[in-house]
Amino acid sequence: MPCMHMQSALARQMPGCSTTGRSNTQLQNSRLSHRAFQPQAARPFTTSSYTSSCTAQRGSRCLRGRSLSAGRVYAASASQEEADLRADYGALSERLESLADEVHDLLQGNSLYLVGMMGSGKSTVGRLVGKAMKYPLLDTDALIEQSSKVTVSKIFADEGEEAFRDLETEVLHQLMPFTKCIIATGGGAVIRRKNWGFMQHGVVIWLDGSPELLASHVLGQSGGTKSRPLIFSNTDVQEQASQPPEAGESDEYKQTVEKLRGILEDRQGKYSFADIRVPLQSEEHGSLAAEAVVVAYRILKAVKDRLHSSAAERQAKIKFKIEGANDVPKTMQVKQSPVSANGHE
């Protein structure tokens, strides 16, 4: 059966969108149409998250190039405001909405990309941020699964990780022209340099959590490690089945923590290329995760602070002046051209 192209699926779900610089023929020749497997019946997306509010035009500016100072990750820090808001959920919700309005104007239509390890809550938190900003959430793993009718785990099992990474790169490539979106990426999206070229058309936010916190999230989700091909092992399952329930549960947690720790160590440097780092830990209880709405607040506040900080840095550079200009060596002094001084061209 013919394979559904990712861009066609996006276009059908978001009828008000159009893509720039890519013809229908180019889209039909996309790598997604040359899958090693043939998916079952293809049909347009029906998920309500993929709405027509996502505009397929390049942002008015590349935030990495103009609005953000490159070369350093901005770390979101705790504030007294956050501490006060945690005690009043109603006030926190209102503050989230007001922050969203401010960030919406500052971003000028550019998208937010969420990166981070499996279990960091990119989709959950992204949905909250998107709701506050009235931006749709686009989940790259979900897009792959919905277009191919095959789960991520099956792609890993049947074709291997590289085949999945190729699809992931193609999805990010095709999402690049879309603005006003929250894009939740897969945990390994940061591995390939090419992917960063696509994501840096927006603001990249790293949701950073400890291996222990991530393991708790993964094991607490439906399917546990079975839906996580990089850390799932049939051998582990067999070993746990032969042990008492209490010991088996403890061993599964320990094994998951160690596997996640190894993956995080390999990717830590790549995640640090993000524009903003947002911690997932609770300020009150460091070993526990903060509530999703608190993480959403941290994201919006960090984006606002980072954009304001970058704007101030640009203004400072524009208004600089040289102190002690008379002490500058003659070879570095700016002098009027002799031609201009004589009034001749």
Side-chain angles (χ1 to χ4, degrees), residues 168-189:
E168 185 173 59
T169 295
E170 179 62 22
V171 170
L172 288 170
H173 183 202
Q174 295 192 19
L175 288 177
M176 180 179 65
F178 290 86
T179 61
K180 299 183 179 180
C181 300
I182 307 296
I183 299 172
T185 67

Side-chain angles (χ1 to χ4, degrees), residues 77-214:
S77 57
S79 64
Q80 184 58 47
E81 180 185 53
E82 178 186 319
D84 295 338
L85 290 172
R86 284 200 306 267
D88 187 339
Y89 187 84
L92 176 58
S93 298
E94 290 180 7
R95 181 58 179 139
L96 198 64
E97 296 292 337
S98 64
L99 270 176
D101 290 339
E102 294 179 72
V103 171
H104 186 283
D105 294 337
L106 289 169
L107 283 174
Q108 297 187 9
N110 288 274
S111 296
L112 298 180
Y113 286 81
L114 304 183
V115 302
M117 287 282 290
M118 64 182 84
S120 58
K122 297 182 291 291
S123 296
T124 300
V125 174
R127 195 169 290 110
L128 290 173
V129 174
K131 182 179 179 182
M133 292 188 64
K134 298 179 175 59
Y135 279 15
L137 172 70
L138 301 176
D139 185 304
T140 58
D141 284 356
L143 281 169
I144 291 172
E145 290 188 342
Q146 290 186 38
S147 67
S148 65
K149 295 302 172 187
V150 177
T151 65
V152 169
S153 295
K154 185 165 178 58
I155 296 173
F156 267 78
D158 293 350
E159 302 181 58
E161 182 177 355
E162 280 304 303
F164 173 78
R165 296 300 172 202
D166 288 341
L167 289 174
E168 185 173 59
T169 295
E170 179 62 22
V171 170
L172 288 170
H173 183 202
Q174 295 192 19
L175 288 177
M176 180 179 65
F178 290 86
T179 61
K180 299 183 179 180
C181 300
I182 307 296
I183 299 172
T185 67
V190 298
I191 293 174
R192 292 188 174 181
R193 182 183 297 272
K194 183 183 293 186
N195 294 347
W196 281 101
F198 302 143
M199 293 190 293
Q200 285 174 352
H201 282 256
V203 179
V204 184
I205 301 164
W206 169 25
L207 302 187
D208 183 23
S210 67
E212 292 78 10
L213 184 153
L214 298 171

Side-chain angles (χ1 to χ4, degrees), residues 239-255:
E239 290 178 354
Q240 291 158 17
S242 64
Q243 297 173 348
E246 297 79 5
E249 182 177 352
S250 176
D251 283 350
E252 182 181 20
Y253 173 75
K254 291 178 181 177
Q255 290 166 358

Side-chain angles (χ1 to χ4, degrees), residues 4-322:
M4 177 168 60
H5 312 306
M6 186 68 64
Q7 188 69 56
S8 300
L10 282 168
R12 280 196 287 269
Q13 185 59 34
M14 297 180 285
C17 297
S18 61
T19 53
T20 58
R22 302 188 73 188
S23 66
N24 289 334
T25 301
Q26 288 174 314
L27 294 176
Q28 289 170 358
N29 290 332
S30 131
R31 288 191 296 279
L32 283 174
S33 64
H34 300 294
R35 295 298 313 280
F37 67 89
Q38 293 297 323
Q40 299 175 1
R43 62 180 183 222
F45 293 133
T46 56
T47 306
S48 59
S49 300
Y50 304 92
T51 69
S52 59
S53 60
C54 194
T55 309
Q57 297 176 351
R58 295 195 186 281
S60 58
R61 53 205 168 103
C62 176
L63 285 176
R64 168 70 70 171
R66 297 189 184 178
S67 294
L68 293 180
S69 302
R72 62 184 178 86
V73 60
Y74 179 93
S77 57
S79 64
Q80 184 58 47
E81 180 185 53
E82 178 186 319
D84 295 338
L85 290 172
R86 284 200 306 267
D88 187 339
Y89 187 84
L92 176 58
S93 298
E94 290 180 7
R95 181 58 179 139
L96 198 64
E97 296 292 337
S98 64
L99 270 176
D101 290 339
E102 294 179 72
V103 171
H104 186 283
D105 294 337
L106 289 169
L107 283 174
Q108 297 187 9
N110 288 274
S111 296
L112 298 180
Y113 286 81
L114 304 183
V115 302
M117 287 282 290
M118 64 182 84
S120 58
K122 297 182 291 291
S123 296
T124 300
V125 174
R127 195 169 290 110
L128 290 173
V129 174
K131 182 179 179 182
M133 292 188 64
K134 298 179 175 59
Y135 279 15
L137 172 70
L138 301 176
D139 185 304
T140 58
D141 284 356
L143 281 169
I144 291 172
E145 290 188 342
Q146 290 186 38
S147 67
S148 65
K149 295 302 172 187
V150 177
T151 65
V152 169
S153 295
K154 185 165 178 58
I155 296 173
F156 267 78
D158 293 350
E159 302 181 58
E161 182 177 355
E162 280 304 303
F164 173 78
R165 296 300 172 202
D166 288 341
L167 289 174
E168 185 173 59
T169 295
E170 179 62 22
V171 170
L172 288 170
H173 183 202
Q174 295 192 19
L175 288 177
M176 180 179 65
F178 290 86
T179 61
K180 299 183 179 180
C181 300
I182 307 296
I183 299 172
T185 67
V190 298
I191 293 174
R192 292 188 174 181
R193 182 183 297 272
K194 183 183 293 186
N195 294 347
W196 281 101
F198 302 143
M199 293 190 293
Q200 285 174 352
H201 282 256
V203 179
V204 184
I205 301 164
W206 169 25
L207 302 187
D208 183 23
S210 67
E212 292 78 10
L213 184 153
L214 298 171
S216 296
H217 277 188
V218 169
L219 294 174
Q221 294 170 346
S222 176
T225 59
K226 291 183 179 179
S227 60
R228 309 286 184 171
L230 285 180
I231 61 173
F232 177 69
S233 169
N234 284 317
T235 302
D236 293 343
V237 174
Q238 292 169 2
E239 290 178 354
Q240 291 158 17
S242 64
Q243 297 173 348
E246 297 79 5
E249 182 177 352
S250 176
D251 283 350
E252 182 181 20
Y253 173 75
K254 291 178 181 177
Q255 290 166 358
T256 302
V257 168
E258 288 310 306
K259 289 177 180 179
L260 289 172
R261 191 187 309 281
I263 296 172
L264 181 57
E265 287 175 356
D266 288 341
R267 296 178 181 172
Q268 188 99 25
K270 297 179 175 65
Y271 285 132
S272 65
F273 288 135
D275 299 303
I276 294 168
R277 172 187 166 271
V278 173
L280 298 177
Q281 273 79 5
S282 166
E283 286 298 324
E284 296 173 307
H285 309 285
S287 61
L288 301 178
E291 293 182 64
V293 66
V294 172
V295 177
Y297 161 83
R298 289 176 183 174
I299 289 174
L300 291 175
K301 187 174 186 303
V303 172
K304 174 191 169 184
D305 292 347
R306 177 67 191 271
L307 292 175
H308 278 316
S309 172
S310 295
E313 288 176 7
R314 289 198 310 279
Q315 287 300 315
K317 290 177 181 178
I318 292 172
K319 296 179 179 179
F320 83 96
K321 71 176 182 177
I322 300 175

